[in-house]
Amino acid sequence: METKTKQSIEQFKGQTRLPKFAIPTSYDLYLKLDLTACTFSGTVQVNLNIIEHTKFLVLNVLELDVHQVWFTNSNHQTYKPCDVVVLNGEDEILVLGFDEVLGVGDGVLGIEFSGALNPHLKGLYKCTYVDGGVKKNMAVTQFEAVDARRCFPCWDEPALKATFKIRIDVPSELTALSNMPVADEKLNENIKTVYFEESPVMSTYLVGVVVGVFDHIEETTADGIKVRVYCPVGKSDKGKFALNLSVKALDIFSRYFSTPYPLPKLDMVAVPEFSGGAMENYGLITYRENILLYDDLLSSANMKQFLTIVVSHEVAHHWFGNLVTMEWWSHLWLNEGFATWISYMATDIMFPEWKIWTQFLRQTADGLRMDAMEQSHPIEVEVHHARSIEEIFDDISYKKGSAVIRMLQGYLGDDTFQKSLSLYIKRYAGKNATTEDLWCVVSEESGLQINSMMDDWTKKNGYPVICVKSKDDILEFEQSQFLSSGLCGDGLWIVPITVSIGSYIKCKTFLLEKKSQKLDISELVHSPHQNKSTFNEKNEEECDEHFWVKVNIEQSGFYRVKYEDKLAARLRKAIESNCLSATDKFGVLDDTYALCVACEQPLSSLLSLMDVYRKELDFIVLSKLINVCYKVVEISGDAVPDLVNDLKQFFINLLLFSSEKSGWESIPGESHLNALLRGEVFLALVTFGHDKTNKEAVQRFQALLNDRNTPLLSADTRKAAYIAVLLNTSTTNRNGFESLLKLYREADTVQEKEPLLRCIASCPDPNIVLEALNFMLSEEVRDQDILYVLAGLRSEGREVAWRWLKVCSSWSTSSL
């Protein structure tokens, strides 16, 4: 290569985004798969709009061999590049240099290429399934965020939308799926070519291909959309629940956004090996098998709920993400935050008895916990290199993002918020948008300028703690940044504050826009009741005897609250008298625990508050109580180990009432929430060492070994039994560990296997833990499931796990 050409190519290195010499408008993609050799080859012809004279075309490529390249302009003149340079490393681009200038106008770029079906669950990758006891290969794509370039040369940026016409050569016995319906199939001996209809415009990361063997079930919606669920052979009945959900979700979102589903079909595919939980490829959603498939007997209530939320989330992306796409990865929180929030809305519509919005508080609580760390980051992150999005975008963006959206919904009101989102979807359908574009639409529809307020929550990391004091009929509010380390932060936010005074019919709402502000509540304190309370009259009368203040009603805001001592004491009394809603009981406990961790309140204050929850039966409140119990034991194990056993006994006493009310066995017709509660309560009692519960759990486990369909151990309580068995397992008495391995090896469904993997390393004996870790790396456990095993490690097993990891790392390094 000549020096001048080298210098010209150097200009494209280290750039955040591709140069805009040319814009793709459509792709004609052909792929030929060899599943035996685990390779593929193909041709892509890209219709381009050259928007400025150039001697270069620059697009994305990664781990592909480029063979032939040509460009044909609108006058049918064909140009061959003089330089074809692949820049790997951080650039991941293909630079095509031409001797002649390519003029402004339309043209077609053609590229022949080949590559390997990689085993790393990204790009176009290989995974395996078992057919008649024989392992066979199949192919799946996972392109988000920037791995379409591993499959075919492309302009791999979300704003560069184009249409796609795809055809694939596959073995004739396999099923080939893509974003659009099959237009035609042609058979040539044992190879068939599958032609798919041309797609509407979409981003490259949403292109999808799956090739394998499946059974499927289908329904057609009232709007004529064909919906199919593709399952492993012989297990199509396990896809019925997800199929029913997706049909309902399509109707819910079409009506909510006042925009029809944009494609003629929706396929949902259970994939045996998958890096994430699910992926919203346009019209071709891929899932881990354990997330899409549901078994009435073997799937827990928690798994049923999780499946519902995930399916709703992925279907919602077809509006928020696919139809309207973020302009750049910095705005990815828009996709994920909104899909998370609206998945709860859809779930609530489908299953109102689940009270799913109360469980949304766990999303908020996780977001608050993570965003209180000094290493937190804004949910709208500056992305300077697309590959870094995989490291930057994390649960803060999902959970804080969805909680901030929920806060905005509460501030604007449901109707205004829905109208705003409907207008946003219509205005940007088929296009790309930024966070600012959304705020402008919301401001236009609501008549409120929300940009400054929302920038506080999306472009800053962290959030405030609101300190509340009372003097006569005046409440004083002061905000400061909350950090779990206890250090002082310097952030300042525009905070939507909601306050109830002794009753849910006595409320105030205002914006806290300064460091501190006062609120006159005299009219609420002294005015008679004028409206009907959401609580019964007896509770209302009891609450009237006590002046209590609850800030952040129903936990709708993304902030913490610290009350002065007298207000905190009155709030405890209100909880004890059952004056607060479940969501507010949750919030008071969550805030108190966080303040305790930050050393802003003593442990004794937290324990005193926890004690008033001992007669609690609401699932979400008990779930938070159990979560706080776990955390206190974990922290105390390092800080004050001599207190751990006393704390465990205190926590056991807190939970005995709810365990007695729940019982081990399911009751016909009982609520979904009771099933959830039973699993969590008995698991906690087992974990804290309650002798009676442990013995009962072991007996019920023995019943399961004798009869896999025993009613004595439901899917909801199996984890408690597995943990009880492992807590009684040691090197000298390893029967429990061997029994769990036997159950895993005999299990025929992912619904049975996953809970076993999550428990298998939860033994206090380091030698058993070591065996579990070695089992984790055996061929019996798929690579994607390794994290399940690691998540089950107890504190007693961490040291041996760390030594094991160092040995494995050393061995891995020396074998390179």
Side-chain angles (χ1 to χ4, degrees):
M1 188 187 302
E2 296 180 2
T3 302
K4 186 175 181 180
T5 304
K6 285 183 179 179
Q7 291 173 344
S8 298
I9 290 175
E10 286 291 319
Q11 67 180 303
F12 303 117
K13 288 187 176 182
Q15 300 300 308
T16 301
R17 299 171 74 160
L18 295 171
K20 299 299 188 290
F21 304 136
I23 304 296
T25 58
S26 67
Y27 291 80
D28 193 326
L29 175 63
Y30 164 68
L31 294 172
K32 182 177 182 179
L33 306 186
D34 186 334
L35 293 174
T36 303
C38 292
T39 61
F40 65 93
S41 58
T43 304
V44 64
Q45 297 188 67
V46 190
N47 284 285
L48 296 176
N49 180 14
I50 308 293
I51 59 176
E52 61 179 88
H53 296 288
T54 180
K55 282 191 172 185
F56 294 97
L57 293 176
V58 183
L59 60 159
N60 294 111
V61 158
L62 181 62
E63 296 176 357
L64 293 177
D65 294 321
V66 176
H67 305 299
Q68 298 291 325
V69 182
W70 64 94
F71 176 80
T72 303
N73 66 16
S74 56
N75 295 321
H76 306 293
Q77 294 175 300
T78 298
Y79 303 84
K80 291 290 186 75
C82 55
D83 294 301
V84 178
V85 180
V86 175
L87 297 178
N88 289 310
E90 292 188 357
D91 293 299
E92 301 178 2
I93 58 174
L94 169 65
V95 181
L96 305 175
F98 295 85
D99 286 328
E100 299 181 60
V101 172
L102 305 181
V104 173
D106 295 334
V108 179
L109 175 68
I111 303 175
E112 291 182 4
F113 58 91
S114 61
L117 294 172
N118 72 78
H120 306 304
L121 311 184
K122 58 178 63 177
L124 178 57
Y125 68 89
K126 174 204 78 170
C127 61
T128 60
Y129 65 99
V130 177
D131 180 17
V134 179
K135 275 190 175 182
K136 295 184 178 180
N137 293 332
M138 58 181 286
V140 182
T141 57
Q142 171 56 41
F143 290 165
E144 190 177 21
V146 286
D147 286 312
R149 63 192 68 178
R150 293 180 188 268
C151 178
F152 60 98
C154 57
W155 277 257
D156 201 8
E157 294 183 2
L160 299 175
K161 288 187 170 186
T163 61
F164 288 82
K165 187 182 289 184
I166 297 173
R167 59 191 170 103
I168 311 174
D169 279 0
V170 297
S172 57
E173 70 275 12
L174 300 185
T175 298
L177 303 170
S178 189
N179 306 89
M180 297 297 290
V182 173
D184 193 15
E185 287 188 4
K186 293 182 180 178
L187 190 63
N188 182 8
E189 296 182 349
N190 62 341
I191 298 295
K192 67 179 175 183
T193 302
V194 183
Y195 299 79
F196 297 95
E197 294 177 15
E198 188 169 15
S199 75
V201 292
M202 63 179 177
S203 303
T204 49
Y205 80 90
L206 295 169
V207 175
V209 170
V210 176
V211 176
V213 175
F214 303 96
D215 283 343
H216 77 270
I217 53 176
E218 68 179 61
E219 277 189 36
T220 301
T221 70
D223 294 331
I225 307 301
K226 184 172 285 186
V227 184
R228 289 179 170 176
V229 174
Y230 287 83
C231 308
V233 173
K235 297 183 179 179
S236 59
D237 60 313
K238 304 294 189 295
K240 289 180 180 177
F241 182 65
L243 178 63
N244 184 46
L245 290 174
S246 59
V247 170
K248 290 179 179 178
L250 285 170
D251 178 61
I252 289 169
F253 297 136
S254 295
R255 287 187 286 108
Y256 187 85
F257 293 120
S258 301
T259 300
Y261 176 72
L263 300 179
K265 64 93 174 175
L266 174 62
D267 294 333
M268 304 200 301
V269 188
V271 175
E273 294 177 74
F274 196 70
S275 59
M279 175 62 206
E280 69 273 15
N281 309 304
Y282 219 177
L284 181 70
I285 306 174
T286 44
Y287 298 83
R288 283 194 181 204
E289 288 182 351
N290 62 322
I291 292 178
L292 187 64
L293 307 181
Y294 176 77
D295 187 290
D296 287 327
L297 178 65
L298 299 173
S299 297
S300 66
N302 185 61
M303 197 64 226
K304 182 178 186 179
Q305 180 176 293
F306 182 61
L307 188 159
T308 303
I309 292 170
V310 173
V311 168
S312 299
H313 179 111
E314 302 306 325
V315 174
H317 269 310
H318 283 73
W319 285 265
F320 233 107
N322 298 8
L323 183 61
V324 180
T325 312
M326 71 272 156
E327 192 276 336
W328 181 241
W329 297 110
S330 301
H331 307 281
L332 182 57
W333 84 272
L334 278 177
N335 282 20
E336 300 302 340
F338 270 90
T340 300
W341 165 78
I342 207 166
S343 68
Y344 278 78
M345 185 202 77
T347 300
D348 187 53
I349 292 171
M350 289 187 276
F351 299 100
E353 68 277 13
W354 290 3
K355 300 179 182 177
I356 201 68
W357 280 121
T358 66
Q359 296 184 62
F360 182 81
L361 293 179
R362 294 198 282 196
Q363 294 277 339
T364 304
D366 283 346
L368 288 167
R369 176 182 56 81
M370 292 181 287
D371 204 27
M373 298 178 183
E374 292 176 66
Q375 63 269 37
S376 181
H377 59 77
I379 56 176
E380 186 178 335
V381 189
E382 282 298 321
V383 178
H384 299 293
H385 190 279
R387 182 65 61 185
S388 67
I389 190 64
E390 298 171 352
E391 301 169 6
I392 295 172
F393 193 79
D394 54 21
D395 275 355
I396 294 176
S397 302
Y398 279 85
K399 295 181 177 180
K400 180 179 179 179
S402 59
V404 166
I405 292 160
R406 177 74 164 154
M407 180 172 67
L408 179 61
Q409 178 195 22
Y411 177 64
L412 296 174
D414 293 348
D415 290 344
T416 300
F417 194 59
Q418 179 179 354
K419 288 176 185 178
S420 299
L421 294 185
S422 177
L423 177 59
Y424 171 78
I425 293 293
K426 288 178 179 177
R427 183 170 294 178
Y428 291 100
K431 303 174 186 175
N432 297 80
T434 65
T435 302
E436 289 71 27
D437 292 327
L438 176 59
W439 299 154
C440 286
V441 172
V442 174
S443 296
E444 175 186 331
E445 187 65 32
S446 67
L448 300 171
Q449 294 303 314
I450 67 162
N451 301 63
S452 296
M453 181 179 80
M454 296 312 297
D455 282 351
D456 278 356
W457 299 99
T458 63
K459 296 184 177 181
K460 293 180 184 177
N461 61 293
Y463 59 87
V465 55
I466 310 297
C467 295
V468 186
K469 298 178 181 178
S470 69
K471 186 175 182 181
D472 298 327
D473 292 338
I474 302 296
L475 288 181
E476 298 177 0
F477 298 83
E478 183 175 345
Q479 65 163 300
S480 58
Q481 184 173 355
F482 180 78
L483 292 170
S484 56
S485 63
L487 297 175
C488 295
D490 57 1
L492 192 67
W493 289 261
I494 300 175
V495 190
I497 300 288
T498 53
V499 190
S500 58
I501 312 296
S503 163
Y504 284 94
I505 61 173
K506 296 180 177 181
C507 302
K508 277 274 191 180
T509 300
F510 68 96
L511 286 181
L512 177 61
E513 301 183 68
K514 301 179 292 185
K515 174 75 173 175
S516 60
Q517 195 166 328
K518 294 181 179 180
L519 179 68
D520 186 340
I521 57 170
S522 56
E523 63 180 34
L524 297 179
V525 174
H526 303 298
S527 65
H529 295 168
Q530 297 176 341
N531 300 308
K532 185 179 178 182
S533 172
T534 55
F535 290 91
N536 62 47
E537 290 183 6
K538 180 177 181 295
N539 284 338
E540 197 70 78
E541 290 170 4
E542 289 176 354
C543 295
D544 279 341
E545 297 174 7
H546 307 282
F547 172 81
W548 54 267
V549 173
K550 174 61 177 68
V551 178
N552 196 11
I553 302 172
E554 306 293 356
Q555 300 306 109
S556 59
F558 194 79
Y559 55 89
R560 297 205 181 277
V561 183
K562 180 181 180 181
Y563 301 91
E564 63 177 345
D565 289 345
K566 65 179 180 181
L567 291 180
R570 290 172 182 171
L571 208 47
R572 280 197 299 274
K573 185 65 175 176
I575 293 170
E576 197 168 17
S577 301
N578 200 29
C579 297
L580 297 191
S581 67
T583 49
D584 282 331
K585 290 178 186 177
F586 178 107
V588 171
L589 181 55
D590 189 45
D591 284 348
T592 304
Y593 168 72
L595 291 165
C596 182
V597 169
C599 299
E600 293 192 27
Q601 287 188 355
L603 177 61
S604 58
S605 178
L606 174 62
L607 297 177
S608 175
L609 175 64
M610 294 172 75
D611 193 50
V612 306
Y613 288 83
R614 64 173 61 239
K615 292 293 182 71
E616 184 60 57
L617 289 175
D618 187 279
F619 167 70
I620 194 60
V621 182
L622 265 173
S623 178
K624 172 48 63 176
L625 181 65
I626 290 169
N627 175 262
V628 171
C629 291
Y630 286 142
K631 294 296 184 181
V632 170
V633 167
E634 181 182 350
I635 294 171
S636 300
D638 295 327
V640 281
D642 292 344
L643 285 180
V644 169
N645 287 335
D646 290 338
L647 285 169
K648 285 183 177 180
Q649 188 57 54
F650 174 66
F651 297 153
I652 287 170
N653 292 335
L654 288 183
L655 300 174
L656 284 177
F657 177 79
S658 57
S659 71
E660 290 167 2
K661 288 287 186 181
S662 174
W664 274 92
E665 294 171 31
S666 304
I667 302 169
E670 72 176 351
S671 74
H672 170 80
L673 294 173
N674 281 351
L676 290 175
L677 186 150
R678 178 180 295 111
E680 289 210 21
V681 167
F682 283 111
L683 177 59
L685 287 173
V686 163
T687 303
F688 295 139
H690 185 236
D691 187 57
K692 181 181 176 181
T693 303
N694 273 276
K695 288 179 179 177
E696 182 71 20
V698 171
Q699 289 176 3
R700 290 174 181 270
F701 178 76
Q702 288 301 320
L704 178 67
L705 292 180
N706 297 331
D707 176 11
R708 298 294 192 268
N709 297 317
T710 178
L712 297 177
L713 198 61
S714 68
D716 300 301
T717 54
R718 287 189 182 186
K719 185 175 182 180
Y722 297 160
I723 297 296
V725 167
L726 285 167
L727 291 178
N728 288 280
T729 296
S730 64
T731 307
T732 56
N733 179 20
R734 46 184 297 113
N735 290 339
F737 180 69
E738 295 293 347
S739 296
L740 287 171
L741 285 179
K742 185 172 185 289
L743 279 178
Y744 178 84
R745 287 164 177 153
E746 293 178 354
D748 184 46
T749 67
V750 290
Q751 290 82 8
E752 294 172 278
K753 287 178 177 288
E754 182 195 329
L756 287 161
L757 287 177
R758 288 185 180 276
C759 298
I760 200 73
S762 301
C763 182
D765 188 303
N767 292 317
I768 300 296
V769 171
L770 192 61
E771 283 193 55
L773 293 171
N774 288 329
F775 169 75
M776 176 184 76
L777 293 186
S778 71
E779 290 189 358
E780 294 185 74
V781 179
R782 291 185 183 273
D783 289 349
Q784 67 172 17
D785 296 335
I786 284 175
L787 286 177
Y788 296 150
V789 180
L790 295 175
L793 283 168
R794 293 168 57 88
S795 57
E796 300 96 327
R798 289 175 188 166
E799 186 176 342
V800 68
W802 176 238
R803 291 199 304 268
W804 172 86
L805 180 62
K806 289 192 287 187
V807 170
C808 287
S809 299
S810 174
W811 176 85
S812 179
T813 303
S814 63
S815 65
L816 292 177

